[in-house]
Amino acid sequence: MVTVKFIRSDGKEFYIDDKTLRITKLDGFGSLENTITTEDNATLDGSNYVSEKIGEKDRTIEFVIRDRKLNNTMRDIARSFFTPKYNFECHINYNGIQKWCRGRLYQPNIPTGNIYSYITISIVLLCNEPYMFSEDNFNKDIAGISGGIEFPLELVEDGIEFDTYEFTNEVTIINDGDFETYCKALMEFSGEVVNPKLILGDYFVRLLDTMQNNDKLEIDLTVKPLSIKKNGENIIRLVDRMSNFDQIKFDVGESTIGYGADSGDNNMSVNIQYNKRYQGL
């Protein structure tokens, strides 16, 4: 069974449920194509590799209206929803495999043929970010609860067990997707913190600002262009120019990411969110 949920950039949704609507074709969801550039070797046989990249990806979703009595209703709903100039997320459950992609509506085909025949609608998404993403965004808090310190008391036979809050400034991420991936960091502050930063190895993203109690900072490296917001306001102008945005990424395997500040890092809590990236379903 295959089901698909589209989420438009204004929040509206369209669901292909394998009941009223049924998928008849998925194209472009199996793998990615790469482009390799070479140059002739001046003195030896063959050539040298110069560069390799994965370009944009067209993905086609075709579905049929199964009940001809619903042709007018469902065709009108589809026509209204699949409108150019919106971005779309496409969430697919492919026989239990759940992944999603995002793209721009491209070449929609909503036919105006025989209204008494089964109507097949075709949608193409142009995905400038070609990867498929895991549905799970793998939340990781850089701090956690560890168990238990027990204090024996005469009033309670077995004592009282307390959890302890384990303060740590880094966490290990395991990426078993097909490609490296980027993250979103959500920082909350319970007191004054001067120049907070996100750290991965020798690289960092640092904000030149003093945070106060109840401030919130979002560093989103998953979007293009990247986004840095303080309490919902864009503050990318306050980022340290020595920051290494492109290097804050999780390679396939293990990566360790952490946080710090010039002062007050004990007043920070940080949550890391990321999706694994795949070449297809």
Side-chain angles (χ1 to χ4, degrees), residues 78-98:
R79 177 198 51 76
S80 177
F81 181 80
F82 292 107
T83 305
K85 298 188 178 181
Y86 285 100
N87 293 320
F88 291 81
E89 292 182 4
C90 175
H91 295 256
I92 298 182
N93 185 332
Y94 183 79
N95 199 29
I97 299 171
Q98 299 183 49

Side-chain angles (χ1 to χ4, degrees), residues 58-208:
D58 284 356
R59 292 191 167 100
T60 302
I61 304 97
E62 183 181 277
F63 60 94
V64 63
I65 303 171
R66 299 185 67 198
D67 186 345
R68 287 175 292 179
K69 292 182 291 186
L70 296 176
N71 276 355
N72 284 345
T73 299
M74 297 309 300
R75 183 187 175 279
D76 192 54
I77 292 173
R79 177 198 51 76
S80 177
F81 181 80
F82 292 107
T83 305
K85 298 188 178 181
Y86 285 100
N87 293 320
F88 291 81
E89 292 182 4
C90 175
H91 295 256
I92 298 182
N93 185 332
Y94 183 79
N95 199 29
I97 299 171
Q98 299 183 49
K99 294 175 184 168
W100 65 281
C101 63
R102 53 180 164 232
R104 197 82 166 180
L105 183 64
Y106 176 61
Q107 295 180 348
N109 181 17
I110 303 176
T112 55
N114 185 346
I115 62 173
Y116 301 106
S117 297
Y118 290 103
I119 293 179
T120 297
I121 296 172
S122 179
I123 302 299
V124 180
L125 292 182
L126 175 59
C127 303
N128 66 339
E129 191 171 10
Y131 308 101
M132 300 288 294
F133 301 96
S134 63
E135 282 289 355
D136 195 331
N137 67 359
F138 296 97
N139 283 288
K140 285 280 190 179
D141 288 314
I142 309 184
I145 301 294
S146 65
I149 301 174
E150 186 171 303
F151 296 93
L153 297 176
E154 293 182 4
L155 296 177
V156 182
E157 181 178 350
D158 295 324
I160 298 176
E161 184 172 321
F162 294 87
D163 287 329
T164 60
Y165 200 71
E166 182 181 3
F167 290 96
T168 176
N169 285 43
E170 61 183 31
V171 67
T172 297
I173 301 295
I174 299 176
N175 175 19
D176 57 4
D178 296 337
F179 301 95
E180 77 280 357
T181 192
Y182 295 85
C183 71
K184 177 191 293 185
L186 305 176
M187 299 183 177
E188 295 186 358
F189 302 89
S190 58
E192 184 175 280
V193 178
V194 178
N195 300 340
K197 61 182 176 180
L198 192 65
I199 306 167
L200 196 152
D202 295 329
Y203 305 106
F204 63 87
V205 174
R206 181 170 177 249
L207 182 69
L208 300 178

Side-chain angles (χ1 to χ4, degrees), residues 195-235:
N195 300 340
K197 61 182 176 180
L198 192 65
I199 306 167
L200 196 152
D202 295 329
Y203 305 106
F204 63 87
V205 174
R206 181 170 177 249
L207 182 69
L208 300 178
D209 193 14
T210 298
M211 315 299 288
Q212 303 295 339
N213 185 38
N214 294 325
D215 278 344
K216 293 180 178 9
L217 178 65
E218 178 188 277
I219 301 174
D220 192 350
L221 305 178
T222 69
V223 295
K224 297 178 182 178
L226 60 88
S227 170
I228 299 182
K229 295 180 179 179
K230 175 183 178 182
N231 301 327
E233 178 188 354
N234 185 352
I235 55 164

Side-chain angles (χ1 to χ4, degrees), residues 180-184 221-222 245-250 273-275 277:
E180 77 280 357
T181 192
Y182 295 85
C183 71
K184 177 191 293 185
L221 305 178
T222 69
F245 301 108
D246 292 339
Q247 299 302 321
I248 306 296
K249 60 183 179 180
F250 304 144
Q273 301 177 1
Y274 66 100
N275 295 95
R277 302 200 294 184

Side-chain angles (χ1 to χ4, degrees), residues 245-263:
F245 301 108
D246 292 339
Q247 299 302 321
I248 306 296
K249 60 183 179 180
F250 304 144
D251 292 326
V252 175
E254 290 190 2
S255 300
T256 299
I257 190 166
Y259 66 88
D262 290 2
S263 65

